[in-house]
C-alpha cells in the first residue's frame, strides 16, 4: 500500500507539474489569441483607412482636373473683361457726349435719335 501511495504521490506531483505547464500554455495561448485579435482589428482599420484615402485621392484628382478647366475659363473671362475695360472709357465718353448733345432737345426727339 505504501508503494501505491508513493506511486500516487509521484503521479499527483507529475500531474500537478503537467497541469502547471498546461496552465502556462493556456495563458500563453490566450495572450497570443488576444494579440491576434488586436492585430486583425488593426488590419481592418488600416483597410478602412486605405479605402478612405483612395477615395480622397480620387476626389482630389477630380477636383484638380475641374479646377484646371475652371482656370482656363477664368483666364478667358479675364481677357474679355480687360477688353471691356479698355472699351469702357470710350463708351463712357460717347455716352457723355450723346447726353451733352441731346440735352437741349425735346424728349421725343431724343428718343427718336437714340433708337
Amino acid at each position: 500500500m505504501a508503494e501505491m501511495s508513493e506511486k500516487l504521490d509521484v503521479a499527483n506531483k507529475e500531474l500537478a507539474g503537467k497541469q502547471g505547464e498546461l496552465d502556462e500554455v493556456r495563458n500563453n495561448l490566450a495572450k497570443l489569441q488576444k494579440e491576434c485579435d488586436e492585430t486583425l482589428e488593426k488590419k481592418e482599420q488600416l483597410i478602412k483607412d486605405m479605402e478612405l484615402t483612395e477615395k480622397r485621392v480620387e476626389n482630389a484628382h477630380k477636383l484638380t482636373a475641374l479646377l484646371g478647366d475652371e482656370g482656363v475659363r477664368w483666364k478667358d473671362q479675364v481677357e474679355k473683361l480687360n477688353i471691356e475695360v479698355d472699351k469702357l472709357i470710350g463708351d463712357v465718353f460717347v455716352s457723355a457726349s450723346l447726353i451733352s448733345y441731346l440735352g437741349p432737345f425735346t424728349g421725343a426727339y431724343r428718343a427718336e435719335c437714340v433708337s
Side-chain angles (χ1 to χ4, degrees), residues 10-24:
V10 169
N12 283 337
K13 286 180 184 178
E14 204 174 293
L15 177 64
K18 295 296 180 182
Q19 283 180 339
E21 289 177 15
L22 179 62
D23 288 341
E24 285 181 30

Side-chain angles (χ1 to χ4, degrees), residues 63-78:
L63 181 62
T64 303
L66 292 174
L67 287 176
D69 294 342
E70 191 67 13
V72 170
R73 187 183 70 82
W74 286 353
K75 285 180 184 177
D76 291 342
Q77 189 67 28
V78 165

Side-chain angles (χ1 to χ4, degrees), residues 86-98:
D86 289 342
K87 291 180 180 180
L88 182 65
I89 296 170
D91 291 347
V92 169
F93 180 72
V94 170
S95 297
S97 299
L98 186 65

Side-chain angles (χ1 to χ4, degrees), residues 51-70:
E51 290 171 354
L52 179 64
T53 302
E54 286 174 352
K55 287 180 184 178
R56 286 181 177 168
V57 167
E58 182 180 329
N59 289 340
H61 286 301
K62 288 179 184 177
L63 181 62
T64 303
L66 292 174
L67 287 176
D69 294 342
E70 191 67 13

